[in-house]
Amino acid sequence: MTRPTRVLLVGDLHLGLRPRRLPERAADADRLGPREALERIVTTARALDVDAVAFAGDLIHHLEDRFEALGPLKGACQRLAERGVVALAVAGNHDAVALNRVAGLLGGEALHVLGADGGWEARSLEPEGATALEFVGRSFVREHETADPMAAFPEALRGPTSPEGRVRIGLLHTQLDAADAPYAPTTRAALEATGMPWFLGHVHDPSPLSGSRPVGYLGSATALAADECGARGPWLATVGPEGLRDLVQLPLAPLRRERLELDVGVLEEAADPVAELEALVEEGATRILEAIGAEGRATMQRLLDVAPEAGSLEEATLGPRAVGLRLRLVGRTRHAVRLRDALEAQGSLREYATHGGGIQAWIQKVEVAFARSHDLEELARGNDPIALLARKLLAIESGDAEAGELVAGVLATRRGGFARAWLDALPRGEGDEPVDVEEELRSALLEAGQEALDALLAQREEAAA
Ligand SMILES: [Mn+2]
């Protein structure tokens, strides 16, 4: 009676890379990056008593980062070896040279680089009393590779199991279904035709991996670029003699990013729209932190089904230390100018932080996508100053002859002349588009006109109240 074999599959780690857009006030920013992710991966591998940890390339961000990566990787491999956990990897485009050098410095078989010479290699894993596996993979040998690695795939390695009955697992760094990409491009069809599951590196968004023969990306091990939103972390594979039995993503990433979209239209009747917007953001952030907490608990439940040892894991390991929110404000509002001014003037919203279950959240970006709620066509109907101004704004927006006259009128004034001279004198880089003075003035007029209109409307409201 053999027990199933467990493998922790790790996507792009990029040791040496500092994640983008970290919170300015984070006390422990150095614990939000790849190094901390590796720590968590090793701790989890030991706690779950896995048989192997397999990396799908780009463990190291850059050749120059190899010395910074050496210490953490050495520690990681030692801690894995203590428990008899095998560590193996394929190299990606980022560590085509660095991974071999670091593996060499680690010595012996601390970290086995699969297909280190660029050719295909099969490596067997035979844990005592457990299902035997065969890892199939190849490594990058230079930063850019245009050839399809599957064109050289050996016939002898095809099929879900080796002739000895070992269950095969494919590991590859590749750009899928993009023949022109210089990242060892291949096709999903070519990988599927081998009859084994394939776990890929390179693209940082994880694929929805499931079933017994998935082909897709593991995703980055923790959030790196500013737009890497959603759960990140390694995948736990459970393999029986019949093949891949279970696959679960462990959201171990210390840093997570999420999108938060809010409709400012609900602030129409607000006495203090800026304060109420801050309250909305706080609610939204709390909602996201709660959802992440629930996801961590659900993952723990799934884990306990396949690995009872998971009970020894600290639940906090299954969630991020910090969550960066990409705030997008949409809808229509009569407070457009006020909100925009407040967002520009106040660092406070951008730097806003909250705590829920020990997790820090902060606004890493604010995208203003809301519009003013008043209808220019409607306002333009009267004969008061508001209507006159609305008509001018409509003309400028449409860019018709009247807009041209308005801009020409401004340029003919002394101040207009200064504006043109100032815009013409702006320093420009080589290849930059020349400044379109008319267009710049047109948008400046539009902006100034809209602010004036908002001010007039506010005055009219006050008078009516
Ligand atoms: Mn890559």
Side-chain angles (χ1 to χ4, degrees):
M1 182 69 187
T2 56
R3 66 171 174 84
T5 297
R6 287 184 199 142
V7 182
L8 209 50
L9 300 153
V10 186
D12 296 49
L13 187 62
H14 288 266
L15 280 169
L17 179 65
R18 191 180 154 84
R20 300 295 308 279
R21 282 187 189 266
L22 288 178
E24 279 169 35
R25 289 188 307 203
D28 51 2
D30 56 333
R31 291 196 62 196
L32 296 176
R35 216 179 147 146
E36 175 75 9
L38 181 61
E39 273 294 308
R40 289 174 161 219
I41 287 163
V42 170
T43 301
T44 305
R46 285 165 58 112
L48 299 183
D49 200 15
V50 305
D51 300 289
V53 176
F55 297 88
D58 286 1
L59 272 79
I60 304 167
H61 182 60
H62 195 273
L63 185 60
E64 285 161 15
D65 297 318
R66 68 187 185 280
F67 297 110
E68 196 183 324
L70 182 61
L73 268 179
K74 187 173 184 174
C77 290
Q78 272 170 359
R79 288 181 67 212
L80 292 175
E82 277 169 22
R83 297 292 179 89
V85 182
V86 169
L88 77 168
V90 293
N93 53 305
H94 278 270
D95 54 5
V97 176
L99 191 63
N100 263 322
R101 295 220 191 144
V102 166
L105 290 170
L106 292 177
E109 279 297 292
L111 176 65
H112 180 77
V113 180
L114 205 56
D117 61 358
W120 286 97
E121 183 190 350
R123 177 100 180 161
S124 59
L125 177 77
E126 293 175 315
E128 214 181 308
T131 302
L133 305 187
E134 185 170 85
F135 288 97
V136 175
R138 57 84 57 185
S139 287
F140 268 65
V141 288
R142 62 186 69 84
E143 192 182 345
H144 293 114
E145 298 190 1
T146 50
D148 178 350
M150 293 309 288
F153 193 74
E155 280 306 311
L157 293 183
R158 283 186 191 278
T161 54
S162 74
E164 302 83 4
R166 299 185 191 110
V167 176
R168 281 177 172 149
I169 305 255
L171 210 56
L172 187 65
H173 201 83
T174 181
Q175 177 95 49
L176 211 52
D177 296 321
D180 295 336
Y183 302 110
T186 192
T187 62
R188 174 176 295 275
L191 294 174
E192 280 172 352
T194 62
M196 66 183 97
W198 283 94
F199 299 104
L200 310 178
H202 189 57
V203 169
H204 289 191
D205 275 331
S207 308
L209 300 171
S210 64
S212 60
R213 280 175 207 170
V215 171
Y217 289 102
L218 296 161
S220 45
T222 189
L224 299 168
D227 61 351
E228 289 182 26
C229 295
R232 289 290 191 282
W235 297 69
L236 178 68
T238 308
V239 190
E242 78 286 7
L244 190 61
R245 199 176 273 181
D246 187 84
L247 200 56
V248 49
Q249 186 186 21
L250 311 182
L252 297 178
L255 175 65
R256 180 158 171 160
R257 305 186 198 274
E258 287 292 337
R259 290 182 184 85
L260 173 57
E261 187 171 288
L262 294 175
D263 187 340
V264 297
V266 301
L267 303 172
E268 279 315 73
E269 305 308 320
D272 183 348
V274 175
E276 293 202 22
L277 175 61
E278 285 179 0
L280 274 185
V281 171
E282 183 162 353
E283 268 173 40
T286 305
R287 211 164 50 233
I288 285 175
L289 292 181
E290 280 170 2
I292 289 173
E295 179 199 272
R297 287 189 294 277
T299 303
M300 182 58 97
Q301 279 309 313
R302 272 206 67 192
L303 253 186
L304 287 169
D305 287 344
V306 289
E309 299 91 332
S312 70
L313 265 184
E314 272 186 60
E315 201 152 315
T317 315
L318 283 179
R321 298 168 61 82
V323 179
L325 300 172
R326 292 169 69 82
L327 179 60
R328 184 177 146 86
L329 301 173
V330 300
R332 300 183 83 82
T333 174
R334 65 192 175 93
H335 306 301
V337 172
R338 237 176 117 183
L339 290 177
R340 224 175 250 135
D341 283 352
L343 288 167
E344 269 172 30
Q346 281 186 9
S348 72
L349 191 57
R350 283 166 203 277
E351 274 294 297
Y352 168 84
T354 187
H355 298 266
I359 307 173
Q360 184 191 23
W362 85 101
I363 306 297
Q364 65 171 52
K365 184 185 182 186
V366 181
E367 187 192 341
V368 172
F370 54 73
R372 61 176 190 276
S373 57
H374 47 253
D375 180 349
L376 280 182
E377 308 266 355
E378 179 79 39
L379 293 173
R381 272 187 206 130
N383 267 318
D384 56 357
I386 287 175
L388 290 173
L389 184 51
R391 284 208 284 278
K392 293 275 185 233
L393 284 172
L394 281 171
I396 300 172
E397 272 185 358
S398 68
D400 66 7
E402 197 188 341
E405 281 168 31
L406 273 169
V407 170
V410 173
L411 280 172
T413 64
R414 228 167 94 86
R415 286 189 181 192
F418 282 136
R420 180 195 285 279
W422 186 76
L423 286 170
D424 280 341
L426 281 181
R428 252 160 274 159
E430 210 164 312
D432 280 1
E433 290 276 311
V435 175
D436 182 339
V437 176
E438 275 80 13
E439 184 52 38
E440 291 289 327
L441 272 177
R442 204 175 74 92
S443 71
L445 277 175
L446 204 55
E447 210 173 300
Q450 275 163 356
E451 279 184 40
L453 185 66
D454 283 346
L456 285 175
L457 286 168
Q459 273 177 24
R460 188 166 75 178
E461 266 173 45
E462 267 169 40

